[in-house]
Amino acid sequence: MTTTPLPVASPADTRRTLGSLLRSRSAALVAASGALLAASVAGLALPAALGLIVDAVVDGDTPRVGALIAAIAGLGVLSAVLTGAGRVLVARLGEGVLAELRGAVVTRLLRLPSTVVERAGRGDLVARAAGDTRIVGDVVSGVLPTFASAAFAIVVTVAGLGVLDWRFALAALAAAPVQAFALRRYLRRSRPVYRDARAAEGERSQRILESVDAAATVRAMGVSRERAAVVDEAAVRSVALELRAVRIGVDFWNRLNVAELVGLGAVLAVGFALVASGDATLGGATAAALFFHSLFGPIGQVLANVDELQKAQAALARLVGVFALPERALRARGSRTPAAVAFEGSASRTSDRMPRRRRSSTRPRPRSTA
């Protein structure tokens, strides 16, 4: 049976839909951003305090060392509390957005014309309503809070390097070209792979459902092996795409290791030169090296989660693509859910480009009096 998959939303339509959801939750977004920003500032104070300890040891100021150690303990607790609170707020915000999106998607799927459902096949519908929703949900609850926290930490740490000395920040940026090249190459290669992988998963589900629905006919006609081969073919294609994505990810991480080596080496070299010239203290150079070293974790988290975010982006585009399809005529105008109404503006931009039937006028034409 030949099927026609449901449309996939463009990146612009996906961003527009997310924007409409986030605008209605601006207070929660500001609260989450503020908590993560405060946590990043508190975390940045830890390596700065270690640098001050080095200077205090060099100067022989023992009481100052004790006070700084106590400050480090307090800052560590404060950073942990703020980070936890920020991640909880981000997860709560994401779950609210996902709940509304899921409800709107299911509502639209239930209102699709029967002809559209038959052409798309139940496999594609099940993959979107269940599989794609699960992928986005996993990212919202697990990946998104970590990603947001790491992103704030990166921005604040780079700013902290500039506060120490602009040359430290410039040295840290030596790793940026290597990271940018690695990320650009990864995104260019991984996006089509993840998109095809989600489509292959839908095709596999469709073939399994077709075989299960027609099990009696398959056994009666003795084509069980042929149907099993058809399902295996779709499964093999799905696995091959997943393995290809893993190989792309391994190549990506190898390039990131090179970027860390280049960046840390540049910061250490600049620190040595500034200390030798008297433009920086030994503690300042130590703090700068610790700043950049502390970036390894957040940068690794951000770039590691790009893999999951790519999957979620592909799944989200498939969910939003459902809104490009026309609904059946509703029995009551007031039966539309608030979520579905919120998406009408985004969906209409895509659906307007779809061909529509012209309605024939039922009113009689006026007769010519000529």
Side-chain angles (χ1 to χ4, degrees):
M1 178 180 178
T2 303
T3 58
T4 303
L6 300 177
V8 177
S10 65
D13 288 336
T14 304
R15 289 192 298 268
R16 191 180 301 113
T17 300
L18 286 178
S20 66
L21 288 170
L22 291 175
R23 279 192 297 272
S24 63
R25 296 171 172 82
S26 57
L29 181 61
V30 171
S33 301
L36 291 179
L37 179 60
S40 300
V41 173
L44 187 64
L46 296 176
L50 290 174
L52 294 176
I53 288 177
V54 171
D55 286 337
V57 171
V58 172
D59 297 336
D61 190 352
T62 304
R64 186 183 177 192
V65 172
L68 288 172
I69 291 176
I72 288 176
L75 289 171
V77 174
L78 179 62
S79 176
V81 171
L82 290 174
T83 300
R87 292 186 178 184
V88 169
L89 291 174
V90 171
R92 183 177 298 175
L93 172 64
E95 289 292 346
V97 170
L98 179 61
E100 185 172 352
L101 176 63
R102 184 191 297 115
V105 168
V106 172
T107 300
R108 180 58 64 92
L109 289 176
L110 293 176
R111 292 174 175 172
L112 291 179
S114 58
T115 54
V116 174
V117 175
E118 292 173 358
R119 287 197 304 267
R122 287 187 300 163
D124 193 20
L125 270 65
V126 170
R128 298 195 187 214
D132 292 332
T133 303
R134 176 184 55 79
I135 290 175
V136 176
D138 291 343
V139 169
V140 166
S141 61
V143 175
L144 185 59
T146 302
F147 182 89
S149 177
F152 273 96
I154 291 172
V155 174
V156 172
T157 303
V158 172
L161 282 170
V163 171
L164 288 176
D165 193 294
W166 64 271
R167 286 164 287 192
F168 285 131
L170 188 62
L173 293 177
V178 182
Q179 293 169 338
F181 172 78
L183 182 60
R184 182 178 179 182
R185 176 182 173 86
Y186 172 75
L187 294 177
R188 185 176 65 250
R189 298 173 63 193
S190 63
R191 279 174 179 169
V193 173
Y194 286 126
R195 183 181 63 246
D196 294 343
R198 295 308 308 154
E201 179 67 17
E203 178 66 19
R204 184 185 67 86
S205 300
Q206 175 65 24
R207 294 187 182 185
I208 291 175
L209 290 173
E210 289 176 354
S211 300
V212 172
D213 290 343
T217 303
V218 168
R219 287 193 296 267
M221 299 183 65
V223 293
S224 299
R225 291 184 178 180
E226 289 77 2
R227 289 305 306 174
V230 169
V231 174
D232 289 342
E233 179 185 356
V236 168
R237 172 172 168 74
S238 178
V239 172
L241 289 170
E242 293 292 342
L243 291 177
R244 184 179 176 187
V246 170
R247 288 193 293 269
I248 294 174
V250 171
D251 179 70
F252 174 59
W253 280 106
N254 289 336
R255 297 176 187 276
L256 290 184
N257 290 335
V258 175
E260 292 177 353
L261 174 63
V262 171
L264 185 58
V267 171
L268 291 175
V270 170
F272 179 82
L274 292 178
V275 171
S277 63
D279 293 334
T281 64
L282 182 60
T286 302
L290 291 174
F291 277 5
F292 186 80
H293 188 273
S294 67
L295 285 175
F296 287 4
I299 289 177
Q301 290 175 351
V302 167
L303 298 179
N305 290 329
V306 167
D307 187 31
E308 297 299 324
L309 291 174
Q310 285 291 297
K311 294 180 181 179
Q313 181 182 11
L316 186 61
R318 285 164 54 84
L319 292 176
V320 177
V322 173
F323 299 108
L325 297 170
E327 292 186 6
R328 290 198 304 261
L330 302 180
R331 296 179 181 176
R333 187 176 182 83
S335 62
R336 294 179 299 173
T337 62
V341 175
F343 293 124
E344 285 182 353
S346 175
S348 62
R349 291 181 175 85
T350 306
S351 60
D352 287 344
R353 295 192 294 266
M354 300 178 63
R356 299 179 178 177
R357 294 182 178 178
R358 294 184 178 178
R359 297 181 179 179
S360 59
S361 177
T362 57
R363 292 179 298 179
R365 297 181 180 179
R367 294 182 179 180
S368 174
T369 57

